[in-house]
Amino acid sequence: MFNDLNPLLHQQLRLSVMSLLMNVKEADFTYIREKTGATAGNLSVQINKLAEAEYIQVKKSFKENYPLTTCTITSNGRIAFEEYVTSLQEYLKPTE
Amino acid sequence: MENEKSMMSNEESLRIIRSMIESTKQDLRDNGSWFLLWGWLVFIACILHYVLMEVGYEKPYLAWMLMPVGGIISFIKGMREEKSQKVKTHLDEFMKHVLVAFLVSLFIVLGFMSKLGLSTYPLVMMVYGFWLYISGGAINFRPLQIGGIINWVLTIAAFFVGFELQLLFLGMAVLLGYIIPGYILRNRYNKAAKLSPNNAKESYV
């Protein structure tokens, strides 16, 4: 049924991350973890997958000697997310 | 969310998207601290300037020495907030641009005070009105917009009165445009914080 849905986005945590990043300019790793309720390990894996697909951009820096990972959605990611939502809407349309 | 291969229904997908939108929306909260800080500083400076003038003090304008103090407090407060900020929303970015536009306009007016003479305070209130109206619209907070409109009305009125009254008008402008909306914002923020303590930690202004 969901063949047309982008498999990279059709996963709970990745979809949560993408939905969150669609709404903000940038968010740091801790914030995303708090909002999604995911474990650091799982979140890290899923973020890497999204970054490999160039859906998000991950910037690593330091803040007061602590590593800081900041994520931003890319234009590719934005397009993919919009396509995903459009496909989803198609599925939700009542069948005639 | 642990299982990579967990199947999701379309309703589940929608629920996730909705809940993430909601959760970031709740971060668009302002505790009103900036409005209260500057509102009170300008209000006190106006009233002090007026009182010093009335009692015949030689340099009543020294009341405005509170402004550099406010600048230092703002710098420290801004640095702290920047450090604790875990997320930057598009609204944060927009508000930053509005703030820069506001400050540049304000400094131009204040910088040419000697040329502007009696038009200085009305123009200050005009710039205040501009900032309050836009900020209020951006965060969908009507009291700030009403404060902005009051500032514009006082701007027009201030063109027709002398310096002493202008000072009182400016005091009234910050009371109605900054202090009262600031307290309403704080009250709203505290109520929201009680309902969901985690989300209320963020502040965008």
Side-chain angles (χ1 to χ4, degrees), chain A residues 2 10-12 14 16 23-26 28 31 34-36 39 42 46 49 63-64 84 92, chain B residues 1-2 4 6 8 10 12-14 16 20-21 23-24 27 83 85-88 90 199:
Chain A
F2 290 108
H10 197 60
Q11 193 268 350
Q12 286 159 321
R14 287 196 294 266
S16 299
N23 261 334
V24 300
K25 191 171 179 279
E26 59 178 47
D28 75 26
Y31 178 84
E34 277 172 15
K35 292 290 173 193
T36 56
T39 60
N42 191 22
Q46 305 311 335
K49 286 188 181 172
K63 196 176 187 177
E64 291 175 340
Y84 178 83
L92 288 168
Chain B
M1 290 195 183
E2 297 289 318
E4 157 79 12
S6 60
M8 270 201 304
N10 42 11
E12 174 86 23
S13 299
L14 267 187
I16 290 174
M20 283 299 121
I21 291 172
S23 86
T24 45
D27 289 335
K83 271 183 191 170
Q85 196 176 30
K86 290 188 216 160
V87 63
K88 264 189 201 148
H90 297 291
N199 285 326

Side-chain angles (χ1 to χ4, degrees), chain A residues 28-30 59-63 66-70, chain B residues 85:
Chain A
D28 75 26
F29 188 84
T30 335
K59 199 172 75 190
K60 289 186 192 272
S61 58
F62 282 90
K63 196 176 187 177
Y66 288 99
L68 176 74
T69 307
T70 315
Chain B
Q85 196 176 30

Side-chain angles (χ1 to χ4, degrees), chain B residues 19-167:
Chain B
S19 82
M20 283 299 121
I21 291 172
E22 276 306 306
S23 86
T24 45
K25 232 196 240 171
Q26 282 169 334
D27 289 335
L28 306 180
R29 282 189 196 145
D30 184 1
N31 62 11
S33 59
W34 286 102
F35 293 105
L36 289 174
L37 170 68
W38 281 102
W40 277 116
L41 279 174
V42 175
F43 183 77
I44 293 167
C46 287
I47 302 300
L48 195 60
H49 190 157
Y50 182 80
V51 171
L52 290 177
M53 232 164 44
E54 288 298 299
V55 298
Y57 181 64
E58 227 175 89
K59 296 171 179 171
Y61 52 83
L62 285 180
W64 294 99
M65 287 310 285
L66 276 173
M67 296 303 106
V69 176
I72 295 165
I73 298 172
S74 295
F75 181 75
I76 298 166
K77 182 172 152 60
M79 292 279 280
R80 277 192 188 164
E81 283 182 6
E82 179 86 19
K83 271 183 191 170
S84 62
Q85 196 176 30
K86 290 188 216 160
V87 63
K88 264 189 201 148
T89 62
H90 297 291
L91 189 60
D92 287 331
E93 202 63 11
F94 172 73
M95 295 296 271
K96 210 181 271 177
H97 291 306
V98 175
L99 183 64
V100 170
F102 163 71
L103 289 175
V104 170
S105 309
L106 189 63
F107 283 127
I108 290 173
V109 172
L110 296 175
F112 288 92
M113 204 184 261
S114 56
K115 282 190 185 294
L116 291 167
L118 266 183
S119 301
T120 307
Y121 284 176
L123 289 176
V124 166
M125 287 187 275
M126 190 179 79
V127 175
Y128 280 173
F130 185 82
W131 188 49
L132 292 169
Y133 191 83
I134 293 179
S135 306
I139 63 169
N140 199 16
F141 186 58
R142 194 57 63 90
L144 275 184
Q145 286 195 297
I146 295 170
I149 295 167
I150 293 171
N151 268 262
W152 287 330
V153 172
L154 286 168
T155 300
I156 297 166
F159 277 119
F160 298 100
V161 299
F163 183 72
E164 288 90 344
L165 261 182
Q166 280 189 349
L167 269 175

